Amino acid sequence: MKGNDGECVLCPRACGARRGEGELGFCQSTHRPSVATVCVHRGEEPVFGPEGMVNVFFHHCTMQCVYCQNHQVSLNFAKAEHTDAETLAGEILKLLGPRRPCAGFVSPSHFVPQMREVITMLRRGAPYAVSVMNTGAYDLRGTIESLEGEVDVYLPDFKYMDDALAREYSQAPGYPGVALAALREMYRQKGSNLAMDEAGLIRSGLVVRHLILPGHTENSIACLRALAEELSTSVHVSLMAQYHPCLLYTSPSPRDRTR
């Protein structure tokens, strides 16, 4: 989404960069999609099937989590290479198939228009394709509204109900309110029920991920409570415990960083 003068207001930061003119904002990205890799990624939630999904890992991110497992490509000072929607769709189609129908877009919040363009191409080339938006949920509600009928599966992380933690560990001010608004819109579109095909693969729905941070179980409890109270007690939640500190940071855990 752009302002009246072509200024980027796509994410909650609304930094106003004229990306189409090469000006770089917080995410350090131009208007052209920048992709680190397109690959088959197994080990996702069971609803995505044993064959995994075809994941598109974008360069850079609107959040800068100190514990990001993809920090080599997600940090905003990482080297980025640009592509175009047609080329990206072609790479995805080479790896998709009826037994692996899901195309996952990882951290796409700063490339939503480009993601939408790719999804349109995938539907033409592979009518069975399932589009998955794998986001940190630091998204404007209006952005999620604009994706109704285009994104099949929302796979957001719900990271924080503590704004101080969001600022300290992800440089994401206002995260709790922003993320809850985005999640409410995802829930409005998809509800609690997962639409599955005959092979047991997801076709549509909402699955919320939450990573438990060492030393901050109270934040996890608050996140789960918010999901139950603001969305539904029936929403599908994937609890994760694979916290691993980024090598670029010396503290072994978030708790140590707050001492």
Side-chain angles (χ1 to χ4, degrees), residues 19 44-46 51-52 58 89 95 108-109 115 122 124 128 153 166 186 192 204 215 217 225 248 254 256:
R19 293 168 60 182
E44 306 281 5
E45 284 76 6
E51 297 297 320
F58 288 103
L95 299 174
S109 301
M115 178 184 71
L122 292 181
R124 289 201 298 260
Y128 56 80
V153 178
M186 294 177 191
S192 295
S204 178
T217 54
R225 181 180 294 114
L248 295 181
D256 294 324

Side-chain angles (χ1 to χ4, degrees), residues 48 99 131 138 197 252 255:
F48 296 105
R99 296 178 61 186
S131 58
Y138 198 48
D197 64 18
R255 171 189 283 177

Side-chain angles (χ1 to χ4, degrees), residues 99-118:
R99 296 178 61 186
R100 188 190 297 126
C102 293
F105 298 88
V106 182
S107 300
S109 301
H110 51 315
F111 287 123
V112 165
Q114 295 83 352
M115 178 184 71
R116 179 184 288 115
E117 188 177 359
V118 172

Side-chain angles (χ1 to χ4, degrees), residues 11-29:
C11 86
R13 299 179 188 280
C15 68
R18 291 181 173 84
R19 293 168 60 182
E21 300 174 17
E23 185 178 348
L24 304 179
F26 180 87
C27 69
Q28 293 291 291
S29 301

Side-chain angles (χ1 to χ4, degrees), residues 136-141 144 156-162 174-188 208 222-232:
Y138 198 48
D139 298 290
L140 293 174
R141 179 171 188 150
I144 304 302
D157 287 302
F158 185 34
K159 297 176 182 290
Y160 309 105
M161 274 300 291
D162 185 324
Y175 179 92
V178 169
L180 273 177
L183 289 166
R184 289 191 199 100
E185 175 58 24
M186 294 177 191
Y187 181 76
R188 184 194 69 80
V208 182
C223 286
L224 295 175
R225 181 180 294 114
L227 290 174
E229 294 177 349
E230 299 289 338
L231 275 65
S232 168

Side-chain angles (χ1 to χ4, degrees), residues 144-159:
I144 304 302
E145 288 176 344
S146 74
L147 292 169
E148 184 170 10
E150 298 187 54
V151 169
D152 297 310
V153 178
Y154 289 108
L155 185 61
D157 287 302
F158 185 34
K159 297 176 182 290

